[in-house]
Amino acid sequence: MPWLRSSQQDCLSSSPSQRLCERTSFSFYCAVRERLPVWLLEDMRSMEVFCWEDGRPRAFLPSEALLYALVHDHQDYARYLLKRYSVSALRAPRCNFCCCRSTGSPHLSVAVRYDRVSILAMMVEALKDCEAQSGGLDYLDGCGGCSHVADAGKTAVQLAVELSRPDCLLLLLVHGAQPDGLDAALLRLVSSNAAERRHAQRCVDYLLLFLSKPPALQRLWDEPQRWQSLLGNEVFSWLCGLAPPPLLLQALRCLARSGPDQITALPHFLQLHSWQ
């Protein structure tokens, strides 16, 4: 295909080649949105779809295709990309605005924002399988996104706390992400309405399960009666450093580290809120 040379691009703000790239990218986006078969999407991505970068066209990357699959919940395509390309499908594509690459993987944050629990489970499993070779924890604890995007500077765990996504949060924590954000989770709990409170409470509970030691939280000392009524006497005392962790919390920690299903399958009277 007769692409324009870089010397010609200075004279044109939008060359025919660039417009063609935009059309093919949009057609691919629509194809993923319609959840067309995986084989057809891969044929399009490898032979028909191009991105415009540094004044020239290039092939559409698996990591970019995975972002489309995440947005439109195309689980079959996401499964194929992760199986075929493994962790390379999670590499951060270069930003078209500032030409930089973010630390971590934006895919985890996108999965949390869109609440794509099934695809997130596939991604953290891929990271676990390749942790030794590729630094899986760097992906889990990295801040995906450049400074101008909505979730810049936030880890996937922090975003899950902010949006009250307990299922996403548990998946991340079970696979080794740092349990940061208890302070934010407590604020989310007290500011949530009745419909949101159940999810916010579960986020607090999951963070408590994976904390090795309670962080220093001044707000607990500022309003002890309020937080004691919300958290229960035993949890409040532990977070304030006045008592050891509750026995039920210690028992549930062993289950939580063996997999998310172990916690969610517990009967109601043994669920996390029952220690309060």
Side-chain angles (χ1 to χ4, degrees):
M1 190 172 291
W3 305 107
L4 291 179
R5 296 178 180 177
S6 58
S7 60
Q8 297 172 285
Q9 293 158 10
D10 297 333
C11 303
L12 294 173
S13 59
S14 181
S15 69
S17 300
Q18 185 173 355
R19 290 195 295 272
L20 180 60
C21 286
E22 292 169 354
R23 287 196 298 271
T24 60
S25 294
F26 182 69
S27 66
F28 183 62
Y29 176 88
C30 293
V32 177
R33 183 184 62 192
E34 296 299 320
R35 300 182 187 174
L36 296 183
V38 171
W39 67 266
L40 180 57
L41 293 174
E42 274 299 274
D43 278 353
M44 290 180 66
R45 186 188 67 79
S46 59
M47 295 187 293
E48 302 174 18
V49 181
F50 297 91
C51 283
W52 190 257
E53 184 177 277
D54 292 335
R56 61 178 62 87
R58 65 159 174 80
F60 217 76
L61 299 175
S63 60
E64 294 165 329
L66 182 57
L67 286 172
Y68 282 5
L70 273 166
V71 170
H72 297 299
D73 201 21
H74 197 327
Q75 296 180 25
D76 289 340
Y77 194 29
R79 185 178 295 107
Y80 169 83
L81 291 168
L82 290 165
K83 184 176 180 180
R84 173 70 176 80
Y85 299 101
S86 188
V87 176
S88 63
L90 295 174
R91 289 176 184 160
R94 196 174 73 168
C95 176
N96 290 330
F97 293 97
C98 60
C99 298
C100 69
R101 291 184 185 274
S102 61
T103 59
S105 172
H107 302 79
L108 299 179
S109 296
V110 172
V112 171
R113 177 159 290 282
Y114 285 87
D115 204 18
R116 305 303 191 210
V117 179
S118 296
I119 300 180
L120 179 61
M122 300 176 203
M123 293 193 292
V124 293
E125 281 297 322
L127 289 174
K128 183 179 72 173
D129 294 341
C130 302
E131 184 175 337
Q133 303 94 327
S134 307
L137 292 180
D138 293 338
Y139 284 95
L140 286 170
D141 296 328
C143 299
C146 300
S147 58
H148 55 267
V149 301
D151 301 327
K154 301 173 186 175
T155 66
V157 164
Q158 291 168 339
L159 187 62
V161 168
E162 179 183 310
L163 300 176
S164 293
R165 302 273 197 259
D167 295 329
C168 293
L169 178 61
L170 184 57
L171 271 172
L172 293 164
L173 294 174
V174 164
H175 287 84
Q178 290 296 316
D180 299 326
L182 180 59
D183 196 36
L186 293 174
L187 286 177
R188 185 80 174 92
L189 177 62
V190 297
S191 63
S192 58
N193 57 39
E196 300 169 336
R197 186 156 299 163
R198 178 173 172 269
H199 292 310
Q201 180 67 63
R202 287 176 64 200
C203 287
V204 171
D205 293 341
Y206 291 152
L207 287 173
L208 293 175
L209 280 180
F210 288 87
L211 282 173
S212 57
K213 61 179 181 179
L217 299 174
Q218 183 59 41
R219 70 179 68 259
L220 299 181
W221 294 98
D222 293 340
E223 300 179 279
Q225 292 183 340
R226 180 188 193 188
W227 292 109
Q228 197 166 13
S229 65
L230 278 171
L231 298 171
N233 292 335
E234 293 185 342
V235 173
F236 175 81
S237 298
W238 172 59
L239 289 177
C240 290
L242 303 175
L247 290 177
L248 180 57
L249 173 60
Q250 296 182 58
L252 290 177
R253 280 178 172 174
C254 299
L255 283 177
R257 285 168 171 77
S258 63
D261 294 341
Q262 302 294 328
I263 290 295
T264 55
L266 286 173
H268 180 75
F269 67 91
L270 281 179
Q271 289 290 334
L272 299 164
H273 57 264
S274 64
W275 68 51
Q276 299 174 11

